[in-house]
Amino acid sequence: MLAQEELTAVLHPHHAMTWAEARQLAYRCAAPLPPGPTSLGTAIGCTLARDVLARQDLPHYASSAMDGWAITGEGPWALTGPGRGLAAGEASVIATGGLIPAGATAVLRKESGQVSGDGYLSLRPEAKPGETLPGRHIRPAGEEATAGDILIPAGTLLNPAHLALAAVAGHDQLQVQRKPRVAVVMTGSEVVTSGEPAPGQVRDAFGPQLDAVIPQLGGVPGGQLRIGDSYGEWLAALDGAGDGKRPEVTITTGGTGKSGTDHFRAAVAALGGRLLLDGVAMRPGHPAVLAELPDGHFILGLPGNPLAAMLALMTLGEPLLAALGNRPFQEATPLLSGADVEASPGKTRLIPCRIVHGLVFPADHAGPGMMRGLAWADAYMAVPPEGASAGDRVPVLPLPWTAPIGTPAPLSTESLQRGRQTGWPA
């Protein structure tokens, strides 16, 4: 349930929330998706929702740890054919991993035995002591786990080794926390997708970027759709007319202003939706919009400028997808600013930054339509409206593709040189 200040923003959507309030609203407005089954091939990177148990002992049969012979008692041993039980004084050939026949007491290594011409197996003179002791070179059933043991506890982020363990235990599917499907609707008749744009055109910065970022934020890409600037195209796109199955989240780019060609709000209203948030007191990214449709699915409207859109996605999309994926809210880390940052009365300034020796330095080339500063950033800083002086603590959050705050990143000669060229402090 939304808090009172958040409910006020829903009822009065023209009130621009602070950056911190907007992040909290985006997290609290959504409930976790229910868990569901997935195949082992698609479970990598998912969070396990139900314990994986050993269905039987692992291994489920006693097996040989060596190539050689299964033997019973002390030698010499009469060789018998494979696939039958052994009586005292008998042996049969066995390979590593082979099923220990009934009656066998040990496995004699190939290097420790010799077969005579009359078909009898005996120890080599150089065989090590203890080669025929009971249990020698036998992997007992249940050595790794017994039936009912918890092999992988719920809450585990699944890696390839977990999937291999689940397969060994006989599982074909796992119950995992579902990830939200995220579709992207890109607008603008002036956008071109290849080559150098002509005057009046802009090159698409979202298509190559968003499908890569969505998995890093915990979502599953649900396809991209390019539309023009007409109301009809907007309405059809947000209604999920493409495949008839609306994704949990739809991200739109552009069209969040209030001109005659901006149809986000009208299309949401026509679908019976409501605006949860209409604008955030931040720069860049102020005209971001978050809406909810009657079926509980969300629409996140990003502004059309590339950097503004990405910082709006970090502000609203990151906590929204975290909530839907049942992950904790990501708190900002306060770090010391390494430079003075001017005030922006009434608005939080979001600036790509580089972290050097625990200090954060704002990036150059960080205008709303620029991507150069973000491309070399370690994180982004949220400078309060009153600005910050060098030595002040400012909230800092990682980018989806960078290391968590506090993880040291070595500076190579090449990165230092690149930093000098792009304006980073070296």
Side-chain angles (χ1 to χ4, degrees), residues 80-410:
T80 68
R84 55 177 291 269
L86 300 181
E90 292 184 333
S92 62
V93 174
I94 196 168
T96 301
L99 174 67
I100 299 295
T105 57
V107 170
L108 181 65
R109 294 187 304 162
K110 188 175 182 179
E111 298 85 349
S112 299
Q114 58 186 1
V115 179
S116 63
D118 57 0
Y120 275 84
L121 170 69
S122 61
L123 284 172
R124 289 181 180 273
E126 65 271 21
K128 295 180 180 179
E131 283 289 270
T132 62
L133 289 175
R136 187 68 168 167
H137 302 312
I138 291 178
R139 294 171 179 161
E143 183 180 37
E144 186 172 4
T146 57
D149 283 354
I150 296 176
L151 300 178
I152 314 172
T156 300
L157 186 65
L158 295 169
N159 64 33
H162 294 134
L163 304 187
L165 177 58
V168 168
H171 294 271
D172 300 318
Q173 291 188 323
L174 302 177
Q175 283 285 327
V176 300
Q177 173 61 51
R178 283 180 54 213
K179 295 182 179 182
R181 193 165 65 103
V182 184
V184 177
V185 176
M186 291 171 284
T187 70
S189 55
E190 76 283 5
V191 178
V192 296
T193 59
S194 62
E196 297 180 6
Q201 297 179 328
V202 293
R203 179 66 189 266
D204 170 34
F206 297 116
Q209 182 174 213
L210 287 178
D211 272 4
V213 172
I214 287 168
Q216 294 174 330
L217 293 176
V220 177
Q224 296 186 352
L225 177 65
R226 297 182 185 276
I227 63 173
D229 296 316
S230 72
Y231 170 74
E233 290 173 289
W234 268 88
L235 186 61
L238 297 189
D239 194 27
D243 59 7
K245 184 179 180 182
R246 186 177 289 147
E248 282 79 25
V249 178
T250 298
I251 294 174
T252 66
T253 64
T256 60
K258 297 180 180 178
S259 70
T261 59
D262 296 326
H263 304 296
F264 183 100
R265 295 165 186 81
V268 167
L271 295 172
R274 61 172 182 160
L275 299 184
L276 300 178
L277 180 151
D278 192 356
V280 183
M282 66 184 191
R283 54 179 289 229
H286 166 74
V289 187
L290 180 61
E292 184 179 14
L293 297 180
D295 60 5
H297 291 186
F298 296 91
I299 303 175
L300 173 57
L302 305 179
N305 281 318
L307 180 59
M310 288 304 297
L311 292 174
L313 179 62
M314 300 303 102
T315 297
L316 302 176
E318 186 274 322
L320 176 65
L321 296 183
L324 290 168
N326 200 22
R327 290 179 288 112
F329 181 79
Q330 181 173 229
E331 299 285 355
T333 301
L335 295 179
L336 298 179
S337 177
D340 296 337
V341 184
E342 65 182 15
S344 180
K347 293 183 179 179
T348 298
R349 289 190 64 191
L350 304 181
I351 309 174
C353 61
R354 185 71 183 265
I355 303 173
V356 180
H357 301 305
L359 300 176
V360 289
F361 294 86
D364 291 333
H365 311 295
M370 300 180 181
M371 292 302 294
R372 186 175 174 184
L374 187 66
W376 298 109
D378 297 317
Y380 72 97
M381 56 198 299
V383 181
E386 63 271 20
S389 299
D392 288 347
R393 291 191 178 275
V394 294
V396 179
L397 282 160
L399 299 168
W401 53 87
T402 58
I405 303 298
T407 302

Side-chain angles (χ1 to χ4, degrees), residues 403-421:
I405 303 298
T407 302
L411 290 177
S412 65
T413 303
E414 292 79 9
S415 64
L416 287 171
Q417 180 61 31
R418 186 189 307 121
R420 295 187 183 98
Q421 293 171 352

